[in-house]
Amino acid sequence: MRDVAIAAGVSPKTVSNVVNDYVHVRPETRALVRRYVEELGYRPQAVGRQLRRGRTGAIALAVPGIDMPYFADLAALLVSAARERGLTVVVEQTDGDIEREREVAAGFPVRFADALIFSPLSMPPSELEAPRHDTPMVLIGEHGGAAAVDHVTNASVDIGAVAASHLAASGRRRIAMVGYKENRPKPVMEQRMLGYTQGLRAAGLPVDRALIRAVPEWDRQPGADAVDALLAEHPDVDAIFAANDVLAIGVLSALHRHGRRVPDDVAVVGVDDVPESRFTTPALSTVAIDRAFVVEAALEMITARLADPGLPPRNLTAPHRLVVRDSG
Amino acid sequence: MRDVAIAAGVSPKTVSNVVNDYVHVRPETRALVRRYVEELGYRPQAVGRQLRRGRTGAIALAVPGIDMPYFADLAALLVSAARERGLTVVVEQTDGDIEREREVAAGFPVRFADALIFSPLSMPPSELEAPRHDTPMVLIGEHGGAAAVDHVTNASVDIGAVAASHLAASGRRRIAMVGYKENRPKPVMEQRMLGYTQGLRAAGLPVDRALIRAVPEWDRQPGADAVDALLAEHPDVDAIFAANDVLAIGVLSALHRHGRRVPDDVAVVGVDDVPESRFTTPALSTVAIDRAFVVEAALEMITARLADPGLPPRNLTAPHRLVVRDSG
DNA sequence: ACTCCCCTTTACATCGTGGTAAAACCCTGT
DNA sequence: ACAGGGTTTTACCACGATGTAAAGGGGAGT
C-alpha cells in the first residue's frame, strides 16, 4: 500500500480510501490511484484489515470428516452461503475424536475465525455448555441436547419413527436397525433408535433387541459388515432401517452380495438423502434432512450473535421428510 | 494479552515470551503468567501474530465443488496433512465458472492465505501462467498443461488408454465413452478421450465418434442421461468407459433401469476410485488416482516455494492404477 | 478581499504480536 | 566492594490497514 501511495504521490490513507470506495475522493485522484494499484498488482492484505477491524471474515466449520457425503454437501452449501455474505470458510476435521473436539470447542489454540459451526460427535454435551472463549459457536446435529448453546438440531426421534412406520406400513414384520452402538451411544443414535422402537410399537410390532445392530462408525463398510452378521443370525429379516445413508449403501451392497433382492426380499430405508442415494440400485428410500435450512439457520444465528453477544441461545430444528424411492 | 500482563504484573512481552516458550523466563514467572492466561482464558489472536510474522498459516483450496466426492476426499486428506504441518485450510468453490476462477487465480480480491491449491476447469491454461500476485500457487489436475507453474497432474491419456485396453482385452467390441464435451473441451476430457481412442486402436478396434457421448458436467445424473441417449441410438454397446466415477455411477444406474445386466451385457469402467465405487451394484471397476500423492506433492511444492520463491516451477504426475471389481 | 462551508487529503494513533536491543537483575570470583 | 558475565525482563517499534480529527483547497456569497 505504501508503494502505491508513493508511486501515486498521495498518502497511504488516500489509497485506502480509494480501495474502500470512500465517497469524497476526487475522480482524478481515484483514477490515478487505481492505475497504480493495477500496475503494481496491489491487493489489500486481509491481515492488516482484520487487525484494524477486529473481524477476520472467516468462519470455521468443524466436522468429523469433510469427506462424509452429508458433511461434504453441508460444506458446499456453507461455502456458497458464506461467500454471498462476504465470508470465507475454514475447515477443521475432528474424526469424531474427543480430544480434537475439545480442542475445537475450547476455541483452538489460536483464534482464527469469527465464529464456529461445530458438529460434535463424542464430547459430553455438558462440556459444550460453557465454552471459555467468546467466539460465537453454533452446534449442528443432535449433540447439543438441551444445552444452553445456539444450535440447529434434527428431529431424530421422529426421523426414526417415520422410517420404521413406513416400513411397517408396507407390510414388513422383521424390521432390523443398523447403526446403534451400545457402549458409547451418541445422542443421534439414541434418538433414531428410540424413534425406531416407537415406530414399531405404534404398528403393533415387537421390538427385538437382536435386530438392533451395532456398528463401529457410520460408513459404508460397517453397514455392509452389520448385514453379514445380521443375516447369519436372523435370515428372516425383511426390512432394514439404516441410521444414515452411507450405512444404507453398505447395507444395499451386502444384501446384493447375499443374493437378497431389494425391495422384494428386504426393504431398506436410510437417512440424509445424500446425492448418491438417488443412484444406488435400487434407488434408496430415505428420510431427507433439509441441509439448506441447517446452513441458513446456522449462519443466521452466527450473524445475530456477532451483532449482539448477549442474545439468549436459540435452538432450531431442521425439517425432514420421507423420500420413497425403490428400496422400500 | 495486555490484560494478562497487567494481572500478572509483567510486561506484555513477557506474556508473549511465556506463550511462545521462550527459554529465558524464570519458572515462577512462567507459572504466574500461565495461571493468568488460564484464568482470563487468553488465546493468542492469529491476526496479530500473522501481521507480525507475515504468514497467515492458512492455505486456500479452490475447487469446482467441495461436494464432488473426488474433491471432498482430497479436501479431507489436505486438511489432515495441513494440520500436521500446523496449517489451516480455507475452502473456496468456483463451480467451474470462469469468472470465479479468474478471481481465484488473481489472488482473490483480498489476500487471505499463504498459498493456493487450485483445480481450474474453465480458465485457458495460458492465463494461469502469469498470476500477478506473489502467493505461491499449485495447480492440480490436467489443466496446467506445459504452463510454467507448479503443478500436480494426472497421466490422463494413459488413464483413458488403460481403461479402454482393459475393456477391449475382456472381449468388448462396442466400447462407448461418456464424458466428453465438444464445444468447450477441458484438457482432462481431451486427454482421457485421446487415451480411449489409443486404447481402442491398440486393440484393433475402430473408433466410432457416435459412441463418444457428451455430458454437460461430470455428475451422476448427466452420466445416466448420456446412457439413455446412447442406448436409444446404439443398443449394441457392450462397454462404457466413463470419464470419472460419478459419471460411471449414473451410468450404472441407467443401465440397471434399462434392464441391461452389468457386466454381462455391458461392462463399465470409471476413473478416480471414489469411496462409493466399492459399494455400487455391481462394484465399479475404475482407474484409481493416488490422491494422497496429489496432496503430499502439492503441500511439498508449496512449502518449497514459500521457502524459496525463485524456484523453477515443477510438474509432478500422480500415479494411477486399474482397479478391477465386478462391473467390467 | 474576506468569511464560511463543503469537499479532499493528510497526520496520527491503534488494532495484537513478536523481533531487537538495551536495561535490570543476579551470581560468582577476586 | 566491584568487575564480569549470564539470565531475565522490558521499552520500543513495525507489521498493514483504517477510524478520527484536523488541515488544506476551492468556490460562492457578501
Side-chain angles (χ1 to χ4, degrees):
Chain A
M1 179 149 135
R2 177 171 20 249
D3 296 343
V4 176
I6 291 172
V10 298
S11 79
K13 178 72 224 233
T14 299
V15 177
S16 167
N17 286 340
V18 169
V19 169
N20 291 290
D21 290 319
Y22 179 66
V23 194
H24 296 303
V25 178
R26 250 192 11 227
E28 307 96 82
T29 314
R30 188 182 302 276
L32 183 73
V33 171
R34 284 254 167 75
R35 211 175 66 228
Y36 284 103
V37 164
E38 198 63 22
E39 193 175 314
L40 301 179
Y42 164 74
R43 312 248 146 218
Q45 299 217 36
V47 160
R49 203 171 261 198
Q50 289 156 6
L51 182 58
R52 194 59 181 68
R53 295 194 178 155
R55 291 271 168 88
T56 66
I59 64 182
L61 173 69
V63 296
I66 190 71
D67 52 347
M68 301 176 173
Y70 179 80
F71 290 119
D73 237 55
L74 203 71
L77 290 171
L78 179 63
V79 170
S80 298
R83 199 192 140 84
E84 283 171 17
R85 292 166 166 82
L87 300 170
T88 358
V89 175
V90 174
V91 173
E92 201 60 38
Q93 293 186 121
T94 63
D95 296 330
D97 179 68
I98 192 162
E99 281 314 319
R100 295 273 262 295
E101 292 192 351
R102 287 213 173 97
E103 212 172 283
V104 164
F108 299 98
V110 174
R111 215 190 84 95
F112 199 92
D114 291 338
L116 169 66
I117 298 181
F118 181 25
S119 175
L121 254 190
S122 306
M123 273 181 80
S126 56
E127 272 189 47
L128 291 162
E129 285 234 34
R132 278 196 324 255
H133 56 93
D134 52 356
T135 311
M137 174 173 79
V138 175
L139 299 181
I140 54 182
E142 291 78 353
H143 214 86
V149 191
D150 278 331
H151 118 238
V152 188
T153 190
N154 304 307
S156 272
V157 175
D158 192 56
I159 287 172
V162 162
S165 302
H166 167 68
L167 289 168
S170 60
R172 312 286 169 167
R173 312 305 312 268
R174 294 287 286 164
I175 305 174
M177 168 166 178
V178 166
Y180 190 63
K181 205 159 114 186
E182 296 274 349
N183 47 348
R184 274 183 164 278
K186 326 282 189 196
V188 58
M189 293 178 177
E190 279 175 343
Q191 292 179 29
R192 289 187 189 170
M193 189 189 72
L194 179 60
Y196 155 83
T197 60
Q198 287 178 2
L200 294 193
R201 291 222 178 81
L205 294 174
V207 173
D208 181 352
R209 300 286 306 180
L211 294 186
I212 301 179
R213 313 301 298 198
V215 291
E217 59 178 327
W218 285 15
D219 203 347
R220 300 172 187 87
Q221 189 61 53
D225 296 343
V227 169
D228 291 345
L230 177 65
L231 289 185
E233 297 169 31
H234 303 276
D236 61 331
V237 234
D238 60 4
I240 299 177
F241 165 49
N244 82 347
D245 277 5
V246 281
L247 281 170
I249 283 157
V251 165
L252 285 178
S253 129
L255 286 173
H256 179 255
R257 184 159 34 77
H258 285 281
R260 305 294 175 112
R261 289 168 305 156
V262 178
D264 311 81
D265 301 333
V266 182
V268 178
V269 171
V271 178
D272 279 350
D273 193 21
V274 301
E276 63 188 281
S277 300
R278 220 178 286 261
F279 296 91
T280 52
T281 40
L284 181 65
S285 296
T286 187
V287 182
I289 293 178
D290 189 340
R291 291 188 278 280
F293 177 93
V294 174
V295 166
E296 287 300 326
L299 274 179
E300 202 278 313
M301 282 181 179
I302 281 174
T303 315
R305 185 158 302 280
L306 280 172
D308 175 6
L311 244 42
R314 280 183 295 164
N315 185 349
L316 294 177
T317 303
H320 61 264
R321 63 174 220 288
L322 178 69
V323 178
V324 180
R325 299 208 179 96
D326 305 329
S327 71
Chain B
M1 178 151 134
R2 181 175 8 254
D3 296 344
V4 176
I6 292 172
V10 298
S11 79
K13 179 70 224 227
T14 298
V15 177
S16 168
N17 286 340
V18 170
V19 169
N20 291 291
D21 290 321
Y22 180 66
V23 195
H24 295 304
V25 177
R26 248 188 16 223
E28 307 96 80
T29 314
R30 189 182 302 277
L32 183 71
V33 171
R34 285 253 166 76
R35 210 174 67 228
Y36 283 104
V37 164
E38 197 64 22
E39 192 174 315
L40 301 178
Y42 164 76
R43 315 245 147 218
Q45 300 217 33
V47 159
R49 206 169 257 203
Q50 288 156 7
L51 182 59
R52 193 60 180 70
R53 295 195 179 156
R55 291 272 168 88
T56 66
I59 65 183
L61 173 70
V63 295
I66 189 71
D67 52 346
M68 299 175 173
Y70 180 80
F71 290 118
D73 237 53
L74 204 70
L77 289 171
L78 179 63
V79 170
S80 298
R83 197 192 143 83
E84 282 171 17
R85 293 166 166 82
L87 299 169
T88 357
V89 175
V90 174
V91 173
E92 202 59 39
Q93 292 186 121
T94 63
D95 295 331
D97 179 68
I98 191 162
E99 281 313 321
R100 296 271 265 294
E101 292 191 352
R102 287 213 173 96
E103 212 171 282
V104 165
F108 299 99
V110 174
R111 215 189 84 93
F112 198 89
D114 291 338
L116 170 66
I117 299 181
F118 182 24
S119 175
L121 254 189
S122 306
M123 275 182 78
S126 57
E127 274 189 46
L128 291 164
E129 285 236 33
R132 279 195 324 255
H133 56 91
D134 52 355
T135 311
M137 174 172 78
V138 175
L139 299 181
I140 53 179
E142 291 77 355
H143 213 87
V149 191
D150 277 331
H151 118 236
V152 188
T153 191
N154 305 306
S156 270
V157 175
D158 192 57
I159 287 172
V162 162
S165 302
H166 168 69
L167 289 168
S170 61
R172 311 289 169 166
R173 313 306 311 268
R174 295 288 285 163
I175 304 174
M177 167 165 177
V178 166
Y180 190 62
K181 204 158 114 188
E182 296 273 349
N183 47 349
R184 273 181 165 280
K186 327 282 189 196
V188 57
M189 293 179 178
E190 279 175 343
Q191 292 180 30
R192 288 187 191 171
M193 189 190 70
L194 179 60
Y196 155 83
T197 61
Q198 287 178 2
L200 293 192
R201 290 218 178 84
L205 294 174
V207 173
D208 181 350
R209 300 286 307 178
L211 294 187
I212 301 180
R213 313 301 299 196
V215 290
E217 59 178 329
W218 286 14
D219 203 348
R220 300 173 187 87
Q221 188 61 52
D225 296 343
V227 168
D228 291 344
L230 178 66
L231 289 185
E233 297 169 31
H234 304 277
D236 61 330
V237 212
D238 61 3
I240 299 177
F241 165 48
N244 82 348
D245 278 2
V246 281
L247 281 170
I249 282 158
V251 165
L252 286 179
S253 129
L255 286 173
H256 179 255
R257 183 158 35 75
H258 285 282
R260 305 294 176 111
R261 289 167 306 156
V262 178
D264 311 81
D265 301 333
V266 183
V268 178
V269 171
V271 179
D272 279 351
D273 193 21
V274 300
E276 64 188 279
S277 301
R278 220 177 284 261
F279 296 91
T280 54
T281 40
L284 181 66
S285 295
T286 187
V287 183
I289 294 178
D290 189 339
R291 291 187 279 279
F293 177 93
V294 174
V295 166
E296 287 300 326
L299 275 179
E300 201 279 313
M301 282 181 178
I302 282 176
T303 313
R305 186 159 301 281
L306 281 172
D308 175 6
L311 243 42
R314 281 182 295 163
N315 185 349
L316 294 177
T317 303
H320 60 263
R321 65 173 219 287
L322 178 68
V323 178
V324 179
R325 298 207 180 97
D326 305 329
S327 72

